[in-house]
Amino acid sequence: MQVITTHINADFDSLASMIAANKIYPDAKLVFPGSQERNLRYLLKIPEYKIPYLKLKEIDLSLIDLMILVDTRMADRIGDLAQALKNPGIAVHIFDHHPSHINDIHGELEVIRQVGATTTLFIQIFKEKGIKITSQEATIMALGIYEDTGCLCFSSTTPEDLYAAGYLLSQGANLNMVSDLIDRGLTTDQIELMNELLESLEIEVIKGIPVHIAIASIERYIADIAILAHKIRDIENVDCLFILVRMEDRIHFVARSRIREVDAGQIARELKGGGHHTAASATIKEMTLVQAKESLLSILRDKINSPRTAYEIMTSPVKTVNGDYSIIKTKELLNKYSINTIPVMGDQGELKGIITRQTIDKAIAHGMQNAIVTELMVSDLLTANPEMPIDKVRELMIESNQRFLPVMNEKNLVGVITKTDMLRVLHDDLSELNPSFHEKNSYEKDYHRSKNLNSLIKERLPEEIQRLLKTIGETSEELGFASYAVGGFVRDLILRVENLDIDIVVEGNGIILAEYLSHKTGARLCSHQKFATAVIILPGGFKVDIATARSEYYPKPVDLPNVEMSSIKHDLYRRDFTINTLALQLNPSHWGRLIDFFGGQRDLKDKKIRVMHSLSFVEDPTRVFRAIRFEQRYGFEIGKYTKNLILSAVKRELLSKLDGHRLFLELYQILQETDPTKSINRMREFGLLQYIHPSIQNATDLAMLIDEAKKTLTWYELLYLPEKVEKWLVYFLALTDPVKENNNLELIMNHFGLPARYQQKILYCHSACNQSTKRFYHIKINDYSSIYELLQPIPTEGLLYLMAKLDNPKSKMIISHFLTSLKKVGISLSGEDLKELGFTPGPVFKKILKECLNARLDGLVTNRNEEMEFVKKQFGHMVHGKGKSMQKKK
């Protein structure tokens, strides 16, 4: 038996989702496990909207073998139907839009995304599968979306909800019916109850946040108290409202929140209910109203997050100038560190004021470049202290129109907050209340702006790595440092790509942290004082790179950067692309918190490669190759602006000034990718192959050869032969195939700074393969000794390159047979055996053993005895006086 069911307090979204699920599961029965809201009961009485459904008492729970859950996935929210979950072999399919909870039911099929209404999920399925609906069904589904999104006005509303509503209108949804049912006025009982709630409304300040609580007690059941919560919230203009109403033998709980620090859904789940960050509810049994209120207060004290402070969002350490700096010298500092405002300090280290780029530019335009900054700085400043709540900081900056707010610990400047910092905070708050990232791919659920990846860490990382990261965080906290996992490790964690190459950045002293970790874990330590970096090597050989947070600036284009100690924000800013600027905080106080200053999550979601700033490729042209590598590895796309910057860098010939070895290291990384063929083609599109050699850029058949090299390597890997090959070398041989002259090839390799052994190997492979190509047309496929003589001197990488290069199936078959069979052939005889046979040591040994091997290859001999007989027969005349051993053998 198949059943479609929902939670025990069914609303319009519940009914709409059940009807929608019935379109996908036509044999399933609709079952309400509990009551329905008043307006829903009214709808079901209208003849044209009468829906066939069963009550719980009308079904045998033991017969259920498929349960389709909609608009919930919590066992304690489906009443007695939860007993059926114990049925042997029962399958569960789930469609829900609520946040996850530790007590969630899990099913064989789960369609879960944080949209405004569960109905929206089904509309997307209908459009994909072409499922048709009637106008009555469209109206009910529209009711579900409009109710759960507050007529598309709640902050939980998403673009998908709007698209779904538009689709339902196109299918004949009756908005008059929707309006009548959703906007039905309050009953006399509801008005009386609302007045009682308003009279009881009181404020509790918890962790600095005002929370409004209203309670009431009535002897009869009154439906839809959620409507009263909305009206009270609007009347009193409160951000956090919690309502407790005792009706009959239970207490009904409704929660509403407009701020990030209070998660209504989390509070409700503690009371065995559920919901979203902004709206939630629960039914409380076996408690008095007094007990319920005390329990609620206890939960609020535990679960409400402390308001964020200036300390959490400020930038530190701060770049400053002395008061006697000239205007022109100050401008050099602004350019050097890519900042627009800088604090001016007095002789005693006190804050004197600030000066902006705009002021400096105007001063220079007026010929005042030699004036000192104290003459032109702004000294009338408001400041914050580190513990100031962010709301107060926002208020200060808006009311004073001050875009740059110094943070002072008594008289010491400890940080600054900029307009951009505040905009980011505002964006995060709005995003958390209205999740804008949806699960279109397997990894996208991790974009929720709660910014905590603890569950993903548990799911994706081995336990020993989790323990190691926690040890790093705990040790950092003991030392008063803040430590972060950064870069590719965090990027790939979110993308669910395996990557255990861990880089740690420390706000503090990376070497001191590494020393403490070395003592704690028994790891070996290698530190570099000059760069404030260290590597710890754990007993099992696992390595972790640790660096002090740094900022950098480039003295001139293409140069290597100068590095200075800084904050995590500045450290991340020096990265190449936004997707590599994510950081994972490891300190226990903020364990698992995701730091995203520069929109890395957004670009992972959008599958875009974007640089950090417009001079990125000017400062370091090697980033061009990295952009292509990441683009092709992840199936992303280089952003339009970034693409234009690459084309500009090529046009300005910045890559021609690049050190050859640095260029080779980037090329090497590309050739080491699982599939470098697309990257190489992309390099051609951008005109980058010319920086290896012009003939490579202009080669018309190079793409085909590279693709053949890929196929050949794949074939070789599937053989699982003991000899491993250097994959990059095969691709490099194919890539340099258009370079016909050895002199040019030597110039390329010298420019790249390749070690002599590789230079020799590459030159030999090219030369030997060119010669072999000519001989292949004359060699017989079963002349194994000739094949062996031709191919044995060539390294395996060269043979795979040759195999890719040849278009003759016969030639490919010959190389294949050599690699899989002939290369392993050997003989039993040795020089010692020849001496025993009476031969005099000398050059003749080599000839004899070679002929013996040829005989073995050609099948003339198959074992040691036959080898002995072959040597006696072919070379016996060369034994002087028919040596003693020969005579003995006779």
Side-chain angles (χ1 to χ4, degrees), residues 221-261:
Y221 178 77
I222 296 178
D224 301 335
I225 64 171
I227 295 173
L228 305 184
H230 281 293
K231 291 190 176 294
I232 293 171
R233 187 187 64 180
D234 294 340
I235 291 169
E236 297 295 327
N237 191 27
V238 299
D239 288 327
C240 291
L241 174 65
F242 298 94
I243 289 177
L244 292 163
V245 180
R246 186 190 65 79
M247 298 185 197
E248 299 171 339
D249 62 343
R250 61 194 64 187
I251 296 169
H252 297 267
F253 169 76
V254 178
R256 295 293 183 265
S257 172
R258 286 172 169 160
I259 59 175
R260 70 179 298 279
E261 288 82 7

Side-chain angles (χ1 to χ4, degrees), residues 566-666:
S566 189
S567 64
I568 183 64
K569 183 177 179 181
H570 285 132
D571 191 279
L572 295 174
Y573 183 72
R574 67 188 183 87
R575 310 276 160 168
D576 46 14
F577 308 109
T578 56
I579 63 169
N580 293 330
T581 62
L582 298 168
L584 186 69
Q585 195 156 0
L586 304 180
N587 290 47
S589 55
H590 294 93
W591 167 256
R593 180 186 176 203
L594 182 65
I595 306 296
D596 181 10
F597 290 114
F598 307 109
Q601 293 179 92
R602 174 202 63 211
D603 288 339
L604 284 177
K605 174 184 177 291
D606 293 342
K607 298 187 176 183
K608 295 290 185 183
I609 304 295
R610 292 189 174 99
V611 289
M612 295 293 294
H613 54 84
S614 57
L615 295 177
S616 183
F617 298 128
V618 175
E619 294 175 344
D620 184 1
T622 62
R623 290 171 176 165
V624 170
F625 298 97
R626 266 172 270 160
I628 291 171
R629 176 156 54 91
F630 290 133
E631 177 191 48
Q632 300 306 320
R633 177 193 293 178
Y634 297 115
F636 285 13
E637 181 183 9
I638 294 173
K640 184 177 179 181
Y641 180 61
T642 301
K643 180 179 178 181
N644 289 337
L645 291 176
I646 292 176
L647 294 172
S648 175
V650 173
K651 184 178 180 181
R652 292 164 60 89
E653 297 188 351
L654 291 176
L655 287 97
S656 63
K657 304 171 186 177
L658 195 61
D659 174 75
H661 189 61
R662 289 180 66 198
L663 192 155
F664 170 73
L665 291 177
E666 294 299 332

Side-chain angles (χ1 to χ4, degrees), residues 126 212 215 240 368 411 424 441 610 638 788 884:
F126 290 174
H212 292 70
I215 62 173
C240 291
M368 299 176 64
K411 294 185 178 181
R424 185 173 293 111
N441 295 306
R610 292 189 174 99
I638 294 173
Y788 188 91
K884 296 177 181 177

Side-chain angles (χ1 to χ4, degrees), residues 37 75 88 136 173 180 261 326 484 540 553 563 664 812 829 868:
E37 290 187 351
Q136 287 82 5
D180 287 346
E261 288 82 7
S326 67
Y484 308 83
Y553 65 92
V563 175
F664 170 73
K812 289 180 181 288
L829 291 187
M868 297 281 280

